[in-house]
Structures are given as structure tokens and as C-alpha cells.
Amino acid sequence: MAAAQDGPHGDLTTAILHALDHKEPLLSAEAFPSYKSTDVKSALDRLSSRLMVEYDTLDHEEAIIEAEGQDIIANGSHEVRVLQALQTAMEGLTLAELESVVGDKSVVKVGQSRAFKSKWIIRGKEGRFVATAESVKDEIREQLQTIQDRLTHPDTKVLQELKKRKLVKMQKVIEFRIRKGLKFALEMVKEETDLTADMLASGTWKTATFKPYNFNALGADQNAGALHPLNKVRHEFRQIFFEMGFEEMPTNRFVETGFWNFDALFVPQQHPARDLQDTFYISDPKVGDRPRPESDDDKQEYDAYWANIQTVHQVGKYGSIGYRYPWAADESLRLVLRTHTTAISTAMLYRLAAMKGPDGRPPPARYFSIDRVFRNETVDATHLAEFHQVEGVIADYGLTLGGLMEFMEIFFNKMGIYDLRFKPAYNPYTEPSMEIFSYHKGLNKLIEIGNSGMFRPEMLESMGLPKDMRVYGWGLSLERPTMIKYKIDNIRYIALTPFHTILSNARTRSLLGHRVDLNFIERNPATRLDKT
């Protein structure tokens, strides 16, 4: 049947049809051994789309003998060759003499070791190798000859041992079982791909055969850019905030002074969060400017704000006794990589204090931000020194803790997170404060999903906000919901595995790092936080 591929029938598709006319079913590996499986499949797809043939894909593994194994088939196994060389020397041979007789140092190295193990040889006087076995069966050679004939071996342990010695390797073989289709014929009818004006005018379209559409065919890869999963989840968060009437805050200041990052939030200068092991401090320049106007239109009283912060820390103000310590201006001006976007929220609330609504007081406002923050943390599977914080702020009159809890329910419900639980917590700049938990069905336990609270009067009234204006604040990381959404278990890097392996085993997926698989980035689906 192999002659069919070289006969007068033209291309491979014609050869398949003529071979199938003589034998059915037809095995491609027997009928067309010299063709690649990809070429055979291409021809079969062409024929099956016209219902001329049907086929099944068969795959199995075959043992392929390596070069060293071929040498053993031709000359015998290493241990047998060593034994045979020693059997011709009555007094035995030294290592150098043995290598000279055998003619291959690598054969002697492996052969004498395995011959010793089989007790075919011993080391005699003056370190000479001496044969002790008279005749042996060359099992390795026989095993390889069996594999050469059958492309496998009935004993899997033998195959494993030969693979370990790198005498054989396993190779996946794909072949096809081919049968006649409903429209089987020995020749392919020419199929038209377009309906032309000439065909309509002449009427030939009535008898023409048109090529059917293949709706299962994949389009050409456009090699287009793709959004990172973090950006997709970030977009979904932004849509939720905009839908709820929030305004996005500018977050382009990665470096802040200690004043905006800590002091203005009523975080004491001795707080552990300001230690070197928790915060990245800038070495050059080390300090920044005091709060000051950033434009000619900015008429706020920054000196008074600075004095209010100093007073509320040192001796207290606005009904607070403060922290009772000597507040240091130099510490307040030290430059840091911002540890949270709440530094931006503070600046926005200070601007809000200067605004006047219809009643002459600051108007209600809703702000949000999503951007990078930096903390001196130990890097592990779920923590980085740099991550993204999602933060929301609501300023209004008459707000209560119950209102905050109700709003959290609404906000997280839009993300597809239900059944919230609240736990009292401590934050220097919010009181009361709450950690937010939700039941995770996959982990079968409650997990923390965010932090929240109501900003303290020491922070708000120092800015000039009215005493009866309350401010909700809450935040969460962007990475955690992204990892949960895409079933990622390591934030740092992604293993260098094929994409189909990543899809079948979610625990190989990771999110960030220099080894991220770009296939994962390109092909991950769009995000709907309210959909599982």
C-alpha cells in the first residue's frame, strides 16, 4: 500500500482516496509512513470537510533506540564486551590494557562497573581485572533487539531501566484510522469559493459545487496586545465606583512627606509603621517641603494646617488630648515611598474643606483611587513590597457606623461578594474601625477582604472640615481579588509551563514577575466580579 503515495494519483489527498478504495479501514502509519502526521491530518481535514472520508486519531508511544543502544545491538552490551576481553587474558588485564583491548574508555567504565555488580569479574593480583564467569546471556542486547523489532517491550520495568541508561527514548506517535465518508469518490470535485457575476449571468451557479463554510475554523492570530489581569480587575473596580457616583483622585505622587503619609492622618511619630523595617525612606533627597500652595489659585492656609497637626499631636485639640509627645518637624518632612493611598485621600479632603456648597459649607463628596503603594515587607507567595490599593472615601453630614456597614454590603455585593462579617479593629486615623470578612466557598472559611472605618476628628477638624461632617474610608488590595478570580496561588512569578498545562492545573498560575507566561496574560478572560 505504500506505493499509493508515490503513484500517479497526484497529491496526498488523491493518494488517500485511492488507498482507501483498496482497503478500509486504512491506517495512515502503514499506508503513508514517510509523511508527517501534520501533513496527513491536513489532507484528511480537507477530505472530511467534504464528507469524503471519516477518521479517528490514534496516539501511542514508541520506544526509539538511541545511538548507544544501536551500538550495543551491533557489538554487544558494555559488560559483555568487558567480560569477553578478559576471557582471552589468562592473567587478567590492567585498566589501561582493558581499555586498549576494548577500544572505548566509556564502554570499559560502564561495562566493568556492571560486570562487577553481576559478579562476572573480580579484581585480582596487582589490581588486574579477571573474568570469573565462563558464559553469560547478553540480556541487554536481546532486550534492545526486541524493541527494535516491536518498537516496545512487554516488560515496563525493562523499558524504564533502558530509559534510565539513556539507551532508548519514548516518542509519541500519532496516526489515523481512515474510513470512507458519505460522499466518497476517487476524485475531488472542484469547489467554488465565490459566487461571481459571470456565474449568475451564465447560470453555471446552478450546477456548481460550492465549498462549505467551516464555522469551526480558528481565525488567524492577530498578535494583538492584551491587558494584564490586574488591569482587567482594575477596570471592573473603576466601573463600580463610577456607577456609584465616585470621582477618581489623582494618584501620581509615589513619594510623599511623612506629613501627608502619617502626621496628617494622626499617626504618631513613634508608631511602628514608621520604622525602617516597614517603610521605604528616600535617601536622596532625604526631606521635602512643608505643605504649601501648588498653584496661584490655591489660597488655603497651609501654615495654620501645619500648626493644627503639631498641636493635635503634642497637646491635643478638638476634644482630644493628643499623644503627649514632642512632635518633630524634621521627622514630618522625611520623604517616603507612600505606604497607602490614604495620603492622597487626605490631600483631597483638605481641598474639600476650602470648597463651599450652596449652604456655604463644604459639599458632600465621594472619592476613590486605585494605584501602587510600597511597604518593606518580606516577599512570599501572597505578599510583595509593591502592590495596588483600592480605596474609597465618602464625606457627608450625619453619617453613622450603621450606614458604613450598609454601604459595604452594597459595594461588595456589586463585586459578587456576599454574607459579610465585621470585626472591630484599630487604626490610628479611624474610630470606629472594622475589618471586613467574607466566607470563601473554595477555602471553606472566612477570609479578610478589606479594612474600613470613620476618620477621626483629630484628622478632619485639623483640615478645617465642619465638626458635623463625617467621612467613611475603606480599602483593599487589588491583587487579592485578582488572584481569587483567576485561581492564582503565587503572586511573584509564573512557572515556565505550556499554556494548556496552566489551564489544566490552576495551581501553576502566578501573577507578577519576570517569568510570567505571556500566553496567560494574553488569553485570560475578561473580568466580571459579580460572576463566578
Side-chain angles (χ1 to χ4, degrees):
M1 291 307 259
Q5 61 188 313
D6 303 316
H9 306 301
D11 61 11
L12 180 57
T13 53
T14 305
I16 291 172
L17 294 173
H18 282 264
L20 190 58
D21 190 43
H22 290 87
K23 180 180 179 181
E24 184 186 11
L26 186 68
L27 292 178
S28 61
E30 296 177 359
F32 313 104
S34 62
Y35 281 97
K36 296 179 180 178
S37 61
T38 52
D39 294 335
V40 175
K41 187 178 188 309
S42 178
L44 290 175
D45 286 341
R46 186 180 178 196
L47 292 169
S48 64
S49 67
R50 294 162 174 79
L51 303 180
M52 299 179 72
V53 302
E54 298 175 351
Y55 71 92
D56 300 316
T57 302
L58 310 174
D59 60 78
H60 62 278
E61 283 194 327
E62 291 181 352
I64 307 299
I65 299 176
E66 300 277 22
E68 186 177 352
Q70 295 287 357
D71 181 65
I72 291 176
I73 292 175
N75 303 306
S77 64
H78 302 338
E79 50 268 41
V80 170
R81 290 171 66 182
V82 167
L83 176 63
Q84 290 172 345
L86 292 175
Q87 286 174 336
T88 61
M90 298 298 295
E91 301 297 328
L93 299 172
T94 64
L95 180 60
E97 291 170 342
L98 183 58
E99 290 175 347
S100 177
V101 173
V102 175
D104 190 326
K105 289 185 178 181
S106 62
V107 170
V108 172
K109 181 179 179 181
V110 176
Q112 59 93 8
S113 173
R114 297 185 67 83
F116 268 122
K117 186 177 180 180
S118 301
K119 298 182 180 180
W120 293 352
I121 64 174
I122 60 173
R123 192 180 294 272
K125 296 179 180 180
E126 300 177 356
R128 289 175 174 271
F129 297 103
V130 179
T132 58
E134 294 182 1
S135 63
V136 296
K137 184 179 180 180
D138 196 344
E139 294 183 352
I140 299 297
R141 188 178 192 179
E142 291 180 359
Q143 292 166 356
L144 289 171
Q145 287 172 335
T146 300
I147 292 173
Q148 188 178 48
D149 296 336
R150 302 182 183 179
L151 299 178
T152 187
H153 195 281
D155 191 339
T156 56
K157 291 183 178 179
V158 170
L159 275 177
Q160 292 297 325
E161 180 63 25
L162 294 176
K163 283 171 58 181
K164 187 177 179 180
R165 291 184 61 180
K166 298 184 178 179
L167 299 179
V168 302
K169 65 179 180 181
M170 303 307 294
Q171 177 175 291
K172 186 176 181 180
V173 176
I174 299 176
E175 62 177 330
F176 308 95
R177 183 188 293 118
I178 312 168
R179 303 179 301 277
K180 293 179 181 179
L182 294 175
K183 297 183 180 180
F184 176 79
L186 292 179
E187 293 184 1
M188 291 182 61
V189 178
K190 181 183 178 182
E191 294 180 326
E192 302 292 343
T193 57
D194 294 303
L195 179 63
T196 64
D198 291 339
M199 294 170 67
L200 292 172
S202 63
T204 56
W205 65 272
K206 297 177 182 179
T207 57
T209 300
F210 290 93
K211 183 177 181 180
Y213 285 106
N214 182 3
F215 293 103
N216 295 321
L218 297 176
D221 192 347
Q222 301 301 309
N223 295 318
L227 290 175
H228 191 279
L230 276 176
N231 282 335
K232 292 186 176 182
V233 176
R234 179 180 184 274
H235 173 76
E236 185 74 5
F237 268 114
R238 293 181 78 241
Q239 295 305 114
I240 291 174
F241 276 117
F242 287 137
E243 176 186 322
M244 301 182 75
F246 282 76
E247 174 187 344
E248 189 166 17
M249 295 182 281
T251 55
N252 56 346
R253 287 177 11 189
F254 293 153
V255 177
E256 295 279 5
T257 61
F259 178 85
W260 289 110
N261 198 79
F262 296 117
D263 292 297
L265 276 71
F266 199 54
V267 178
Q269 294 182 344
Q270 302 89 349
H271 196 279
R274 301 177 76 150
D275 292 342
L276 287 173
Q277 62 264 31
D278 293 313
T279 300
F280 290 111
Y281 284 90
I282 306 300
S283 60
D284 186 19
K286 291 185 177 182
V287 297
D289 296 333
R290 286 175 49 160
R292 56 182 173 78
E294 297 182 0
S295 66
D296 294 337
D297 298 330
D298 190 349
K299 305 299 184 182
Q300 290 185 265
E301 298 179 359
Y302 287 93
D303 289 339
Y305 186 29
W306 173 273
N308 286 341
I309 295 298
Q310 180 178 9
T311 302
V312 81
H313 276 255
Q314 286 192 159
V315 298
K317 199 174 183 180
Y318 314 113
S320 169
I321 63 172
Y323 290 115
R324 304 295 181 92
Y325 72 96
W327 185 81
D330 292 343
E331 179 67 23
S332 186
L333 297 180
R334 292 180 68 185
L335 292 175
V336 302
L337 289 177
R338 68 183 181 204
T339 60
H340 46 197
T341 52
T342 315
I344 303 296
S345 303
T346 305
M348 290 297 293
L349 290 173
Y350 181 57
R351 295 177 190 174
L352 177 67
M355 298 180 185
K356 303 300 180 185
D359 58 356
R361 299 194 302 170
R366 295 187 173 198
Y367 301 123
F368 82 93
S369 65
I370 308 173
D371 212 336
R372 285 180 289 173
V373 297
F374 310 87
R375 295 184 188 172
N376 193 1
E377 293 190 356
T378 301
V379 175
D380 58 27
T382 57
H383 294 84
L384 289 178
E386 172 186 342
F387 61 96
H388 294 75
Q389 181 174 333
V390 180
E391 179 165 333
V393 172
I394 297 179
D396 207 338
Y397 299 93
L399 298 180
T400 64
L401 180 63
L404 172 61
M405 297 171 70
E406 181 184 14
F407 184 85
M408 290 294 96
E409 294 274 2
I410 297 171
F411 177 78
F412 283 102
N413 285 176
K414 289 181 177 291
M415 296 166 51
I417 298 175
Y418 303 92
D419 194 21
L420 299 187
R421 295 289 183 271
F422 301 94
K423 175 185 174 183
Y426 169 76
N427 290 314
Y429 45 90
T430 57
E431 180 61 38
S433 307
M434 299 181 299
E435 292 174 347
I436 308 168
F437 292 80
S438 175
Y439 184 77
H440 192 288
K441 294 181 180 179
L443 298 175
N444 198 30
K445 66 177 184 179
L446 286 170
I447 61 169
E448 183 182 353
I449 57 174
N451 209 324
S452 65
M454 300 180 70
F455 286 127
R456 296 178 66 105
E458 293 97 330
M459 171 184 168
L460 301 179
E461 293 185 43
S462 295
M463 302 174 178
L465 287 172
K467 190 178 185 65
D468 57 346
M469 174 169 269
R470 303 284 184 265
V471 179
Y472 295 155
W474 73 96
L476 63 154
S477 75
L478 182 64
E479 282 78 3
R480 176 163 292 185
T482 303
M483 293 174 70
I484 294 173
K485 185 69 180 179
Y486 289 100
K487 298 180 174 64
I488 295 167
D489 74 342
N490 195 319
I491 195 173
R492 294 170 293 183
Y493 59 87
I494 191 163
L496 295 178
T497 51
F499 183 65
H500 68 272
T501 304
I502 296 171
L503 287 179
S504 63
N505 183 5
R507 292 194 64 77
T508 63
R509 297 188 193 175
S510 303
L511 187 60
L512 297 170
H514 64 286
R515 297 175 66 194
V516 166
D517 189 329
L518 295 182
N519 283 324
F520 169 65
I521 301 302
E522 180 179 357
R523 301 183 190 183
N524 63 77
T527 301
R528 283 292 303 278
L529 294 176
D530 60 338
K531 304 292 183 183
T532 57

